[in-house]
Amino acid sequence: MSTPATQPTPSPAAWNELAAHAAKTRDTHLRALFAADPSRAERFTAEAVGLFLDYSKNRIDDQALALLLKLAEQSKLKERIELMFTGAAINITENRAVLHTALRAPKDAVILHDGNNVVPLVHAVLDKMAAFASQIRSRAWKGFTGKPIKNIVNVGIGGSDLGPVMAYEALRSCSDRGLVFRFVSNVDGTDFAEAVHDLDPAETLFIISSKTFTTLETMTNAHTARQWSLAALKDERAVARHFGAVSTNAKEVSAFGIDTANMFEFWDWVGGRYSMDSAIGLSTMIAIGPDHFRELLDGFHAMDVHFRTAPFDANLPVILGMLAVWYTDFFNAETIAVLPYDQYLKRFPAYLQQLTMESNGKSVTLDGGRVDRPTGPVYWGEPGTNGQHSFYQLIHQGTRLIPCDLIGFARSLNPLPKHHDLLMSNVFAQAEALAFGKTPEQVKAEGTPDWLVPHRVFDGNRPTNVILAEKLTPAILGALVALYEHSVFVQGTVWRINSFDQWGVELGKQLAQRIIPELASAEEPALAHDSSTNALIKRYRALKAR
Ligand code: F6P
């Protein structure tokens, strides 16, 4: 297996300098940092592609930032960015290029993969998607009985589900409200059953989305969808009108019986969790239309250009990524909360979980050694203000340090009187409260009895980034997703791990394959697992047989 031309080299100097600086400054309070520097709020900000990032409420000073950027440089981030953008096989364990940035490149760009320009391929698929989406949107695409298709069910899991669901929810305001969209991912039969229970098969199109077209959950749901369709439509020929496929695997798609005219291709140089802007976004395009989809891609692309060209000290993904490294490696922070103050982004944290954790949940370096410091923080979150009435207690007063990204918009897409200022006041208030807290003196001055004071004190010094944009548009969503994609890459580069493979999902899949027949067989199987697994299987079989 070939390896990319340039490997990042270890950078102990910057790591050690950062460790020393962190030890010296770790306890400096944000109150002191703000008091000492009236220009802090202006200096620790960056803006690009319609996104404004205020990172002033982080536990950094100028030197910390300089050292973090130095570490990025010493990790050969610049070179790694170029390798990614130019199609080097930086996914070394799968010997693959990592070219999701080609998916949103403009028509006249030239991006070579194995000597061939992939941009025309990308645009040919986009055109084919647009033609198909337009037929559905105009109701010209008729089902087998002649009724127009009204319901679109995306069947996929992981990257073939989370991006489409997140984007559909995020861009609902510009979606065709006359169409119904459902998403089936879980192999739990409930997911399929509930998704279709009120749908008419004659008006329903399934999009089977799977990069490999072999994923057990998706193929099981796809076969169930086929049976559900054919039970009503009673003719194999109906499949051509009611099924589309998005995959890299044309052979398996035709073996399933889907007309390859309804197949939308992508390529092995697109990772599943980096694929929402490939043909995997077909349901998104049907929902919002080809023009809005192009705007989404343009937003991604604008962030790509920014990431590739902006100096590190003004580079949003670099700053965000290096701050994640700072807290993960020097403050023992184990998680990062992403808190969108926009209901349309309710699935954004779930989307980010796969993007960040499948990418950087690694403990082996590119050269096969063990990492010598923590990597990949746990990303999680919920939309504000709901989270405030749930888990924010722990973020404010718990024993763990949880850096937070708060995402908000200046203009609501549903500007009901009062709501938006109320919502956004919470973004600013939460960031303020987390940073500055409330001292015992302040609490006492409010007349709090002495015994209650400790309970009402807020230590503060809890870091936040605030990401602010004017309005949640397709372009802004693209920029936001690309911001996190590239932030993940920055982190992975500095940790010298491969952010683009996912071997960690394999073992469970293999073991499940072995267990399936043991659960299904009529005969009592001979079990050769550990005693706990054996006992659980036996108990399951007994309960099932009752
Ligand atoms: O969970 C592992 C994984 O391979 C993800 O990386 C991927 O997004 C998902 O499964 C689905 O894979 P596919 O699109 O091939 O069905």
Side-chain angles (χ1 to χ4, degrees), residues 157-160 210-212 215 218 272-273 354 358 502 505 509:
I157 197 165
S160 301
S210 174
K211 180 174 169 181
T212 54
T215 303
T218 301
R273 55 194 175 272
Q354 186 199 15
E358 203 171 72
Q502 56 284 320
V505 303
K509 284 191 203 169

Side-chain angles (χ1 to χ4, degrees), residues 112-159:
L112 299 179
H113 177 254
D114 286 343
N116 301 315
N117 183 11
V118 296
V119 179
L121 305 179
V122 167
H123 280 267
V125 173
L126 284 170
D127 290 347
K128 187 174 170 186
M129 288 164 66
F132 186 71
S134 300
Q135 285 196 62
I136 306 261
R137 287 169 61 80
S138 66
R139 315 298 191 262
W141 185 276
K142 304 282 190 285
F144 189 63
T145 65
K147 284 187 173 178
I149 290 297
K150 268 190 6 205
N151 313 312
I152 292 91
V153 183
N154 187 76
V155 177
I157 197 165

